[in-house]
Amino acid sequence: RLARLRARLVKSNNVFGRSLLALLSSDQIDEDVWDEIEETLLMADLGTEPTMELVDRLRERVKVEGSRDPDRVRALLREELTTLVDPSLDRSLNVRAAGRPAVVLVVGVNGVGKTTTVGKLARVLVAEDKDVLLGAADTFRAAAAEQLTTWGSRVGVPTVSRDEGTDPASVAYDAVAAGIEGEVDVVMVDTAGRLQNKANLMDELGKVKRVIEKQSEVDEVLLVLDATTGQNGLNQAKVFSEVVDVSGIVLTKLDGTARGGIVVAIQRQLGVPVKLVGLGEGPDDLAPFDAETFVDALLE
Ligand code: GDP
């Protein structure tokens, strides 16, 4: 799985990696080169502060070591990037609960890949021999519930859905109730994400969570973000984290972007680890996030 993650990431990030490594291989790493390094990191969506910090530390270390050996400079860059991505964060999914189903709430703006992620994650959990049940709490579009049900049958798990326009909280409640009744291991609830109306979204998501909590704890709140949306995605993330306690990020569409630096920016700004990454539209295109594999792929 990690090998595949690496291969996919290399494919999408090599523009970034190649230009960085080319820069670091210059005979003379002068002021212009450092500027270009900074620009490259900014273009990869690493964020202003982390970029400045990284470049400052790298410059300092290059100066202290007095080494211009490109291999050494590369090794230093790898170290500094890895520190920024933070390998010490706990990225495991909280999907084990004693005596009841674990409840995973999946939130995010429409179009980021929420439903697809629920489907892919269900497949991963089924492969781990878990009984999974899906709840289609996006009741604003009939198509959303249909799409989730299709994913459910594709990976062989039941989906609780109700008519379009039903109160999302009641669907979430019914899904968790069905999960408890059926003694499943994990209930995953897909939600709507119309950010156009922030007050409504707050009310709705807050209510979904409260209603679930009448029967069970919510073990994991996964916020799905589209890696190609850059700073805009970060702003969305902030809105969601004000409404629900986000416990993990799923970063989708990392296969289509050289802006992997967004991982660092997200973790910094939200204080929440990236736990999973989406690497394509297919059922197997979801991988656990691993800091070292990720940085290696960035620098390939
Ligand atoms: P939702 O509205 O947030 O539920 O988004 P969907 O799950 O319907 O996904 C929106 C589109 O993004 C669909 O065409 C998906 O196939 C696509 N998509 C989802 N995840 C990924 C990913 O990791 N990579 C790519 N390339 N496309 C993705």
Side-chain angles (χ1 to χ4, degrees), residues 100-103 131-136 158-162 169-189 212 215-216:
R100 62 167 175 86
V103 177
D131 277 334
V132 179
L133 183 140
L134 306 180
T159 305
V160 169
S161 77
R162 300 285 178 260
S170 85
V171 185
Y173 185 92
D174 288 352
V176 173
I180 293 172
E181 171 76 26
E183 298 183 0
V184 304
D185 300 307
V186 184
V187 176
M188 248 192 293
V189 179
I212 291 176
Q215 308 173 82
S216 168

Side-chain angles (χ1 to χ4, degrees), residues 98-113:
R100 62 167 175 86
V103 177
V104 180
L105 194 58
V106 183
V107 304
V109 175
N110 287 338
V112 292

Side-chain angles (χ1 to χ4, degrees), residues 66-125:
S67 167
R68 291 231 182 280
D69 173 16
D71 284 342
R72 182 62 196 147
V73 179
R74 253 177 246 174
L76 292 177
L77 174 64
R78 173 173 278 128
E79 262 179 52
E80 293 297 342
L81 269 174
T82 307
T83 306
L84 278 182
V85 180
D86 199 350
S88 70
L89 289 178
D90 179 8
R91 300 178 194 274
S92 57
L93 279 184
N94 195 6
V95 286
R96 266 162 230 88
R100 62 167 175 86
V103 177
V104 180
L105 194 58
V106 183
V107 304
V109 175
N110 287 338
V112 292
K114 237 177 356 257
T115 305
T116 309
T117 297
V118 172
K120 293 174 186 173
L121 185 54
R123 187 175 165 95
V124 170
L125 296 171

Side-chain angles (χ1 to χ4, degrees), residues 8 108-118 120 138 141 144 147 151 190-191 224 226 251-256 277-282 285-286:
R8 283 294 179 96
V109 175
N110 287 338
V112 292
K114 237 177 356 257
T115 305
T116 309
T117 297
V118 172
K120 293 174 186 173
D138 180 352
R141 295 173 305 139
Q147 193 193 345
W151 266 104
D190 190 17
T191 61
V224 182
D226 176 341
L251 195 58
T252 60
K253 310 187 192 180
L254 213 52
D255 52 307
V277 289
L279 298 163
E281 299 185 85
D285 295 330
L286 184 77

Side-chain angles (χ1 to χ4, degrees), residues 109-110 140 192-206 239-240 243:
V109 175
N110 287 338
F140 285 88
R194 301 150 309 125
L195 206 56
Q196 297 87 326
N197 190 333
K198 188 173 151 182
N200 259 347
L201 178 80
M202 295 240 195
D203 284 354
E204 186 183 301
L205 273 186
V239 174
F240 278 94
V243 186

